[in-house]
Amino acid sequence: MIFLPVFLINHFLSNKKQPIFTFAKSSFFVLKPFLALAFFCLFCLVSSAQPANNAAILARKQVPVLCYHQIRDWRASDKQADKDYIIPPATFKAHLKMLADSGYHAILPDELYDYLTKGTPLPAKPIMLTFDDTDGDQYEVARPELMKYGFKGVYFITTIDIAKNKHYMDFKQIKQLANEGNVIGCHTQDHTNFKKYNGRDWEIQIDKPTKKLEGITGKPVKYFAFPFGTWNSVGLPQLDKRGFKAAFQLTDRRDPNYPLMTIRRLLGCGYWSAQTLDYNIKHDFGRPVPKG
């Protein structure tokens, strides 16, 4: 609207003999349509910048978010409960092939955030692929499979495990994932249960790991995943205070006051066939069904 003051100056200089009151009055009527347009544009700009309220976020259709951990063949020592978190490579590859063949589009957290807060459209059949705990097979096995289908993923890193041994990712691998367009998120320093945090725990488990990951990737870390998928409402304001845009749990009901900090995920169980995974994606994030 720079032309408005220019117009006023030119109008004033060309009407030197016109009384100032008359000039102001006539200018108002001339500029009235432009002023109305300017106020309307300002209103639209402010409105679009306002995030949706919690009720609106909760009302939006949930986007399926998958959560994977170890990707390796089972060992004789693995218990049945362990197989929730250990998926054989062949099964994992079958999961991704099913998603690709079914027309799913892998999205990233910023896209999900914009959809939840502003209603920004998502591609057809959106899904998010997340990986917890820094396991090296997420780089060695998951990364090439995602690249095969043009998918990007979210890697939630437990910083104490970086380069811990041959079974975990190192600094270079994490940076490469970030450089390739994947998102690196915080998964605490040592996987301590979020419900137990108090005092300096917030600095140890949240602040320091976040800063460390930002130093590795050269990018801001804006997303968090709860160890074990567990959380409590008391601690959620701490995540908001630290500038996280969203946090991810597992399948508990979302917190009505912090829905962005309790986004639900579906555990990609190691004993689920591609068909079972497909069923669970379509039926409310893992409602118990017969094992496939």
Side-chain angles (χ1 to χ4, degrees), residues 9-278:
I9 294 171
N10 291 338
H11 188 76
F12 179 75
L13 292 176
S14 63
N15 294 275
K16 294 180 179 179
K17 296 181 180 180
Q18 186 177 13
I20 187 65
F21 176 79
T22 303
F23 163 71
K25 184 177 179 180
S26 62
S27 296
F28 173 78
F29 285 106
V30 171
L31 295 175
K32 187 176 180 180
F34 297 102
L35 292 172
L37 178 61
F39 280 117
F40 175 76
C41 293
L42 179 62
F43 173 79
C44 292
L45 180 63
V46 172
S47 298
S48 64
Q50 294 294 322
N53 59 36
N54 293 332
I57 291 171
L58 289 166
R60 298 198 195 283
K61 182 179 179 180
Q62 294 183 68
V63 173
V65 182
L66 302 185
C67 174
Y68 290 101
H69 292 77
Q70 296 182 55
I71 308 172
R72 63 168 175 80
D73 289 319
W74 296 333
R75 301 169 186 148
S77 59
D78 292 331
K79 299 177 182 178
Q80 182 63 31
D82 296 332
K83 296 177 182 178
D84 282 344
Y85 302 90
I86 304 169
I87 183 168
T91 305
F92 176 77
K93 292 176 182 181
H95 282 193
L96 289 198
K97 185 177 187 305
M98 181 276 293
L99 295 176
D101 290 347
S102 300
Y104 281 97
H105 292 84
I107 65 169
L108 292 175
D110 281 350
E111 295 172 89
L112 179 62
Y113 178 85
D114 288 344
Y115 161 72
L116 291 173
T117 58
K118 297 182 287 188
T120 303
L122 291 172
K125 300 188 74 170
I127 197 163
M128 188 181 296
L129 305 172
T130 70
F131 302 86
D132 290 5
D133 299 347
T134 327
D135 291 288
D137 39 49
Q138 296 170 1
Y139 179 89
E140 298 293 341
V141 180
R143 173 176 167 268
E145 285 300 304
L146 265 66
M147 294 177 72
K148 180 192 298 185
Y149 299 111
F151 291 163
K152 302 295 182 184
V154 189
Y155 296 80
F156 289 109
I157 304 298
T158 308
T159 54
I160 198 172
D161 291 327
I162 300 175
K164 183 177 180 179
N165 56 44
K166 65 179 181 179
H167 300 298
Y168 293 94
M169 285 189 273
D170 59 28
F171 295 90
K172 183 178 179 181
Q173 291 170 330
I174 293 170
K175 181 172 178 56
Q176 184 175 359
L177 287 171
N179 289 345
E180 291 172 347
N182 302 284
V183 170
I184 303 299
C186 179
H187 198 40
T188 76
Q189 174 183 260
D190 56 22
H191 213 267
T192 297
N193 194 317
F194 183 85
K195 292 181 178 180
K196 298 180 179 180
Y197 296 175
N198 61 70
R200 291 195 64 244
D201 291 333
W202 298 107
E203 178 185 357
I204 295 170
Q205 297 295 339
I206 307 291
D207 298 341
K208 288 184 177 180
T210 300
K211 185 176 181 180
K212 184 172 185 176
L213 292 172
E214 290 177 339
I216 294 171
T217 64
K219 299 179 180 181
V221 172
K222 302 175 289 185
Y223 299 98
F224 178 83
F226 298 97
F228 313 104
T230 61
W231 53 277
N232 57 7
S233 297
V234 175
L236 297 180
Q238 292 287 346
L239 297 177
D240 193 46
K241 174 183 176 182
R242 284 164 167 77
F244 285 102
K245 296 175 72 172
F248 296 80
Q249 53 150 332
L250 286 178
T251 55
D252 288 338
R253 172 178 268 180
R254 291 173 292 173
D255 187 282
N257 297 313
Y258 289 92
L260 290 174
M261 296 300 168
T262 49
I263 296 174
R264 299 170 66 236
R265 295 190 290 172
L266 169 64
L267 193 63
C269 295
Y271 48 80
W272 280 359
S273 67
Q275 291 73 27
T276 305
L277 175 65
D278 182 53

